[in-house]
Amino acid sequence: MTKLVRKKKSQSPVARPENRQAPANDWWSKAFGIRSMGVAIAGCLLLYIALPMNEGYNWAWNGLLKGNWNFIRANRNASLEERNQMKMGFDFSYLNHIRKNTPEDAVILFPLREHITEQSGNMKLGYDITNKSWVTHFVYPRLALYKDEKDTNPLYNQVTHVAIIAGHGYEDLEYEVADKPAFALFPKKHPDR
């Protein structure tokens, strides 16, 4: 029987690429590092000189950020309700009145969105009141409906209160009101009936 003997292949050294990094004292890395630091310093100087000349920057830094910071420090003991009142003015006062004077299961009908931002005397609600999500945030767990949802929202038949805004909404009450203020809140059905 013959024995098969394998011959080992002669292994020649394979040229492998060396993974070596340039030494830290290499002139190229020094030049690149110095150049990068120079660009960074020049950029900082440019921002330091150019930003104060920019009107948007002045408004954002000096007006908005510093102004808000000073206001916050001056009113740090104010309650959340007082802060909302200071920030949103009459919009918050009106929604807060609705929240305090209706039961939690109330369904409140608001007039058409185009009537909400009308001026009445010296009072006017902001555009935010036309946003159902925003209004619901402040009156929750009460529900807010708008008059233009009559055909699409099944809760329209369950309205319990009517928000009177800029004199609009009295037509949705089931009774006549003698004194008609421009901004008010009334139950849809007469409270005595």
Side-chain angles (χ1 to χ4, degrees):
M1 202 167 171
T2 348
K3 219 176 181 184
L4 292 174
V5 178
R6 281 191 184 170
K7 288 185 175 181
K8 289 186 178 180
K9 291 184 180 178
S10 61
Q11 295 182 356
S12 62
V14 178
R16 295 183 182 167
E18 293 184 22
N19 294 333
R20 51 176 218 149
Q21 296 177 340
N25 59 358
D26 186 9
W27 71 271
W28 180 254
S29 60
K30 280 184 181 179
F32 183 72
I34 291 171
R35 189 175 339 143
S36 295
M37 288 175 54
V39 169
I41 291 170
C44 289
L45 283 173
L46 179 67
L47 289 175
Y48 181 76
I49 294 168
L51 277 180
M53 294 179 194
N54 183 317
E55 290 179 27
Y57 170 81
N58 281 332
W59 170 79
W61 180 255
N62 295 324
L64 187 66
L65 293 175
K66 284 184 179 178
N68 282 350
W69 180 252
N70 292 335
F71 182 79
I72 289 167
R73 285 188 9 209
N75 298 296
R76 74 177 59 193
N77 295 327
S79 68
L80 179 61
E81 189 171 313
E82 291 169 334
R83 284 187 228 152
N84 282 331
Q85 172 64 39
M86 288 183 254
K87 181 179 179 185
M88 292 175 268
F90 184 59
D91 293 5
F92 178 75
S93 296
Y94 186 71
L95 293 176
N96 198 33
H97 172 75
I98 289 174
R99 188 177 54 79
K100 287 182 175 180
N101 293 299
T102 55
E104 289 188 355
D105 62 343
V107 179
I108 302 146
L109 179 64
F110 286 82
L112 292 171
R113 295 170 203 254
E114 56 265 15
H115 296 305
I116 289 176
T117 55
E118 287 181 13
Q119 178 116 10
S120 180
N122 62 351
M123 291 196 270
K124 177 182 177 181
L125 289 174
Y127 185 75
D128 291 330
I129 302 285
T130 63
N131 183 338
K132 188 175 182 177
S133 302
W134 191 82
V135 169
T136 303
H137 169 75
F138 288 102
V139 299
Y140 184 80
R142 296 145 196 88
L143 299 174
L145 295 175
Y146 291 88
K147 198 168 181 176
D148 57 357
E149 297 179 62
K150 184 176 186 176
D151 299 328
T152 58
N153 197 327
L155 291 174
Y156 195 86
N157 296 327
Q158 299 173 16
V159 169
T160 60
H161 291 78
V162 177
I164 308 298
I165 299 177
H168 298 283
Y170 287 107
E171 65 277 1
D172 297 311
L173 298 175
E174 295 179 0
Y175 56 95
E176 195 62 35
V177 177
D179 186 27
K180 295 185 176 183
F183 295 91
L185 174 71
F186 290 103
K188 183 171 177 156
K189 297 179 180 178
H190 198 279
D192 296 336
R193 294 180 196 166

